RNA sequence: GGCCCGUUCGUCUAGGGGUUAGGACGCCAGAUUUUCAUUCUGGAAACACGGGUUCGAUUCCCGUACGGGCUACCA
């Protein structure tokens, strides 16, 4: 079938967007764009009890930040609107009823209490062919009883009737052939008592209605795949069923298991794409964005968790990823998240991103620190000098604050023990030569500095470090003469004088 | 417990019947940077185990072990 490639990301708006979720979006997006297809955002808000206000907007903001914008969404609309399952509620019942009519599903009247009692009484209880006759449903009750119950408005659900002794086999794009014995799959609820579909019904109906061609989701969905596949068949849509791809999971760095928000809190790294403030508790969970990650680095590190292009290349732009992505090269095994490597990707991206493109991030940091009105050319020069020393964008202030205000503290331990009157004299002379200097640039200044040191019989190394401490405050930063050149003649003089007063008092 | 999925350096991975099993992060050492970082060079570091198949298996098959996922009127 030469149908158009259409994929979807279908999150449940229950909280912050997990990095695994973003990777699922990314693989969806890359696959779609690689094939000139469409990427749909569908909100799966069928569980009203878990709905969290703001979560949907948050998800959209995350996608925007990552540059993975959908072609159709609740906000954008599209030919298959609405894209929010709660707004599609009336559509689902007819399909559930059709399944009942065709004998593929049935009404069940068991209360939650009854179900719990059953689960406690029978170890490994499964609502399936073995026990469904013992439950209260349209398979065990007489047609009249069923009719009466429904007419009385007794709450009920619709369950799929899993067949006996069948094998459901399908071809997963990542795992090849996977099979399930239907005897071991339970009669999943399709329509809840509140009239909302469960994920199982909704995903099939909406994927069909929205003409989804390829369905990507996490490996945790593999066990329910047979239910979905049977539903496609029972609804008569088998020929239109999307191709499935169950993505490997992202695992916690230590030990094993799916990476969770808790692991991030525990180990000190973000798990959500952006800051997430829980509206109920007010708890703030840090995100990659606020921690100082570039979106390019974020998606780059995510794509490498489970995919590679077969070469040694590790740094990819979105366009390169789109061009090179192929589902055949997605690995089967889960990948442990490594924050050290994540930071490396960020450092690489900060280094390779042009100053103009990251300037706004730094302006924001300056704002936060009360620095305003910095001249653009000056800022650009500072960024150019500092860029390759930042692993996170947020390292900028610590690395560059001295370019915008005088240091508050000085690393006296680095100079005091070896301080001499000769050094005081040297710096006094140095400053006195400044006004007459024909030009103010790093190389001329360096020559002047060295000549004077030689003249005074001082070793260069003995005065370089103090000079740095005077200008910067500590043992860090770019080349000293670059710093002096940039902050200017006046400022350099004043910092030297100020420091001389301090150390000689 | 049952079902399903998985298993190459610590981590992300390439590879694939005959290779010195390659790269990257991290780590260690050295060079450069008269600070620190960057950069460069070098180093340690892996095919889970047992049976097959084969002249030959890390690679193919089967088991075992280990790990993970699922087992809700959650997604």
């Amino acid at each position: 079938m030469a149908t158009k490639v259409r994929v979807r990301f279908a999150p449940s708006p229950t909280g912050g967007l997990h990095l695994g979720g973003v990777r699922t979006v990314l693989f969806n997006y890359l696959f779609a764009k690689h094939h000139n297809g469409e990427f749909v955002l569908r909100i799966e808000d069928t569980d009203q009890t878990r709905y969290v206000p703001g979560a949907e907007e948050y998800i959209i903001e995350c996608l925007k930040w990552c540059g993975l914008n959908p072609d159709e969404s609740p906000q954008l609309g599209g030919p298959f609107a609405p894209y929010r399952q709660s707004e599609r509620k009336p559509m689902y019942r007819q399909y559930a009823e059709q399944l009942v009519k065709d004998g593929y599903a049935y009404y069940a009247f068991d209360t939650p209490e009854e179900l719990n009692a059953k689960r406690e009484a029978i170890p490994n209880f499964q609502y399936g062919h073995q026990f469904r006759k013992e439950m209260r449903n349209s398979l065990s009750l007489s047609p009249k009883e069923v009719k009466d119950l429904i007419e009385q408005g007794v709450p009920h659900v619709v369950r799929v009737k899993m067949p006996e002794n069948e094998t459901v086999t399908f071809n997963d794009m990542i795992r090849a052939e996977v099979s399930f014995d239907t005897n071991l799959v339970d009669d999943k609820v399709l329509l809840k008592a509140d009239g909302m579909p469960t994920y199982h019904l909704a995903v099939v109906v909406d994927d069909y209605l929205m003409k989804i061609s390829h369905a990507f989701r996490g490996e945790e969905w593999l066990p329910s795949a047979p239910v979905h596949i049977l539903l496609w068949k029972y609804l008569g849509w088998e020929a239109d069923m999307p191709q499935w791809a169950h993505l490997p999971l992202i695992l916690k760095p230590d030990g094993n298991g799916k990476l969770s928000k808790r692991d991030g809190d525990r180990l000190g790294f973000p798990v959500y794409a952006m800051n997430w403030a829980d509206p109920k508790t007010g708890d703030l969970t840090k995100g990659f964005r606020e921690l100082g990650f570039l979106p390019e680095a974020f998606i780059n590190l995510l794509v490498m968790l489970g995919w590679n292009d077969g070469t040694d290349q590790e740094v990819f732009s979105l366009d390169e990823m789109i061009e090179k992505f192929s589902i055949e090269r997605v690995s089967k095994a889960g990948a442990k998240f490594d924050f050290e490597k994540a930071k490396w990707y960020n450092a690489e991206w900060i280094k390779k991103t042009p100053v103009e493109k990251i300037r706004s991030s730094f302006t924001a940091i300056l704002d936060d620190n009360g620095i305003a009105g910095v001249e653009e050319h000056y800022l650009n020069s500072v960024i150019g000098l500092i860029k390759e020393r930042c692993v996170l964008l947020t390292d900028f202030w610590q690395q560059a604050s001295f370019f915008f205000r005088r240091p508050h503290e000085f690393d006296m331990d680095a100079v005091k023990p070896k301080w001499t009157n000769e050094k005081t004299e040297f710096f006094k002379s140095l400053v006195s030569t400044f006004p007459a200097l024909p030009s103010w640039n790093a190389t001329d200044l360096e020559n002047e500095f060295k000549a004077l040191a030689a003249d005074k019989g001082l070793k260069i190394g003995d005065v370089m470090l103090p000079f740095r401490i005077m200008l910067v405050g500590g043992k860090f930063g770019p080349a000293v003469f670059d710093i002096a050149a940039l902050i200017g003649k006046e400022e350099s003089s004043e910092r030297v004088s100020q420091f001389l007063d301090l150390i000689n008092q």
Side-chain angles (χ1 to χ4, degrees), chain A residues 109-119 135 155 157 159 193:
Chain A
F109 301 93
D110 318 272
T111 63
E113 294 71 30
E114 287 167 342
L115 287 170
N116 283 338
K118 206 72 180 175
R119 288 193 185 102
M135 309 301 288
V157 302
R159 282 180 185 273

Side-chain angles (χ1 to χ4, degrees), chain A residues 37-87:
Chain A
E38 283 145 4
F39 169 53
V40 177
L41 174 68
R42 181 173 72 215
I43 299 295
E44 307 230 343
D45 54 350
T46 54
D47 186 354
Q48 291 152 330
T49 62
R50 295 214 306 161
Y51 176 77
V52 176
E56 182 183 320
E57 292 72 15
Y58 171 92
I59 288 165
I60 287 161
E61 182 64 23
C62 284
L63 300 193
K64 191 176 164 198
W65 179 61
C66 294
L68 307 173
N69 293 309
D71 299 302
E72 296 165 28
S73 74
Q75 286 63 32
L76 258 32
F80 305 97
Y83 291 90
R84 216 175 265 125
Q85 289 182 331
S86 58
E87 294 169 13

Side-chain angles (χ1 to χ4, degrees), chain A residues 261-309:
Chain A
K261 181 179 95 61
R262 284 229 169 282
D263 299 313
D265 298 342
R266 181 170 56 84
L267 272 9
F269 59 80
V271 168
Y272 287 165
M274 315 181 312
N275 275 5
W276 167 253
D278 188 294
K280 267 188 227 120
T281 62
D283 288 347
L284 181 80
T285 306
K286 285 268 196 181
F288 278 87
R289 185 227 245 168
E290 287 77 4
L291 227 83
F293 274 79
L294 242 20
E296 290 84 353
F298 185 52
I299 59 173
N300 195 159
L301 69 93
L302 287 179
V303 82
M304 296 311 284
L305 252 24
W307 175 83
N308 70 81
D309 76 340

Side-chain angles (χ1 to χ4, degrees), chain A residues 151 187 268:
Chain A
E151 277 169 7
D187 292 350

Side-chain angles (χ1 to χ4, degrees), chain A residues 308-335:
Chain A
N308 70 81
D309 76 340
T311 73
D312 285 341
Q313 186 176 347
E314 292 196 275
V315 176
F316 293 89
S317 67
L318 220 208
D319 286 341
E320 283 176 305
M321 289 180 209
I322 291 171
E323 186 198 326
K324 294 178 175 167
F325 186 78
S326 88
I327 198 76
E328 290 78 32
R329 295 203 63 86
V330 174
S331 52
K332 296 177 174 65

